[in-house]
């Protein structure tokens, strides 16, 4: 069965095993654990396992069980934000996995309250590759030269201005190519553009 919060894929087997463990604690503690996970995701800091252990100490879990619980909730919240799942869909899909409705509602409510904040944080932390900011070009026509055998031929001067999104710095990358090489570059880039447009359709 496919789940939206799993990116339209099957839920991993390890998560299915942990659903039964999550069912053994109260829905109030589920919400407190979910808030701990969300706080960790928002701050980038590690989970405070001492605090978490106090929340579930009455359930008789060992540290391995507690880490598995946290991993399951982390997977649910992280992937729900990543795949832009709404609150009701998340609650329904968790019920389909066998989690009690009260537990599902506790997780989905905490998720709804912090979803947009987490999406903003995830967006800012997304890897951003350098992009083309602008392009300057000119064509020079060589009439005569002591160093170049072939004259009366055009030469293309290109200057790519590339923006680094991590620091907003713009760097220049100038180079010169012959008209023949420029034509090859042009047609290859044109073919790549058409291929990308085909894939996006």
């Amino acid at each position: 069965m496919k789940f939206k919060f799993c990116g339209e894929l099957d839920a991993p087997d390890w998560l299915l095993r942990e659903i039964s463990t999550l069912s053994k604690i109260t829905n109030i503690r589920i919400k407190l654990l979910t808030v701990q996970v969300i706080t960790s995701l928002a701050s980038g800091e590690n989970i405070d396992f001492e605090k978490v252990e106090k929340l579930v100490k009455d359930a008789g879990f060992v540290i391995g069980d507690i880490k598995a619980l946290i991993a399951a909730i982390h997977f649910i919240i992280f992937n729900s934000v990543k795949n832009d799942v709404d609150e009701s869909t998340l609650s329904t899909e968790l019920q389909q996995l066998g989690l009690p409705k009260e537990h599902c509602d506790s997780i989905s409510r905490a998720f709804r309250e912090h979803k947009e904040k987490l999406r903003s944080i995830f967006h800012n932390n997304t890897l951003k590759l350098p992009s083309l900011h602008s392009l300057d070009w000119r064509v020079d026509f060589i009439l005569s030269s002591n160093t170049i055998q072939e004259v009366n031929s055009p030469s293309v001067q290109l200057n790519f201005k590339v923006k680094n999104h991590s620091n907003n710095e713009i760097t220049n990358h100038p180079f010169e190519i012959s008209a023949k090489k420029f034509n090859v570059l042009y047609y290859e880039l044109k073919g790549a553009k058409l291929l990308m447009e085909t894939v996006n359709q």
Side-chain angles (χ1 to χ4, degrees):
M1 189 172 181
K2 310 300 182 184
F3 296 91
K4 288 185 178 180
F5 84 92
C6 293
E8 299 293 352
L9 298 173
D10 294 331
D13 292 339
W14 70 267
L15 180 64
L16 297 177
R17 290 193 298 269
E18 296 310 322
I19 288 295
S20 62
T21 307
L22 286 170
S23 303
K24 295 176 182 177
I25 58 179
T26 65
N27 64 307
I28 294 176
R29 286 178 175 172
I30 281 284
K31 182 171 183 178
L32 293 174
L33 289 175
T34 304
V35 170
Q36 287 292 314
V37 171
I38 290 172
T39 301
S40 173
L41 286 170
S43 65
E45 298 178 356
N46 293 329
I47 290 282
D48 185 348
F49 279 102
E50 289 187 6
K51 185 181 292 186
V52 171
E53 194 171 5
K54 292 177 182 177
L55 292 174
V56 296
K57 62 181 180 180
D58 295 340
F61 293 139
V62 298
I63 191 66
D65 294 329
I66 296 171
K67 288 183 177 181
L69 286 173
I70 293 299
I73 297 173
H74 182 282
F75 179 89
I76 292 167
I77 297 299
F78 181 87
N79 285 280
S80 296
V81 174
K82 174 185 172 183
N83 294 300
D84 196 19
V85 177
D86 60 74
E87 175 192 4
S88 60
T89 299
L90 177 59
S91 180
T92 300
E93 291 189 342
L94 290 178
Q95 289 179 61
Q96 291 171 347
L97 289 176
L99 197 63
K101 185 178 186 303
E102 295 78 11
H103 292 53
C104 299
D105 291 342
S106 294
I107 293 175
S108 59
R109 276 196 297 267
F111 164 74
R112 179 198 63 201
E113 293 167 3
H114 298 88
K115 177 183 175 182
E116 292 307 316
K117 179 182 178 181
L118 290 176
R119 281 183 63 83
S120 176
I121 292 171
F122 289 1
H123 176 75
N124 292 334
N125 292 338
T126 300
L127 175 64
K128 296 180 177 67
L129 298 174
S131 62
L132 181 64
H133 180 263
S134 62
L135 170 65
D136 296 329
W137 65 275
R138 77 170 192 268
V139 177
D140 295 337
F141 199 84
I142 303 173
L143 297 176
S144 64
S145 173
N146 294 328
T147 58
I148 301 177
Q149 294 181 349
E150 185 179 355
V151 294
N152 294 326
S153 61
S155 173
V156 182
Q157 308 284 336
L158 295 171
N159 182 28
F160 289 96
K161 294 184 178 180
V162 177
K163 183 175 183 179
N164 187 335
H165 292 282
S166 62
N167 56 15
N168 288 325
E169 180 182 351
I170 297 175
T171 55
N172 292 308
H173 299 270
F175 62 97
E176 176 184 357
I177 57 175
S178 66
K180 289 181 180 179
K181 288 184 178 180
F182 175 79
N183 284 332
V184 173
L185 174 64
Y186 172 75
Y187 284 111
E188 286 186 349
L189 289 175
K190 187 176 180 180
K193 180 175 180 291
L194 290 173
L195 181 60
M196 291 172 65
E197 289 175 348
T198 302
V199 171
N200 290 330
Q201 288 177 354

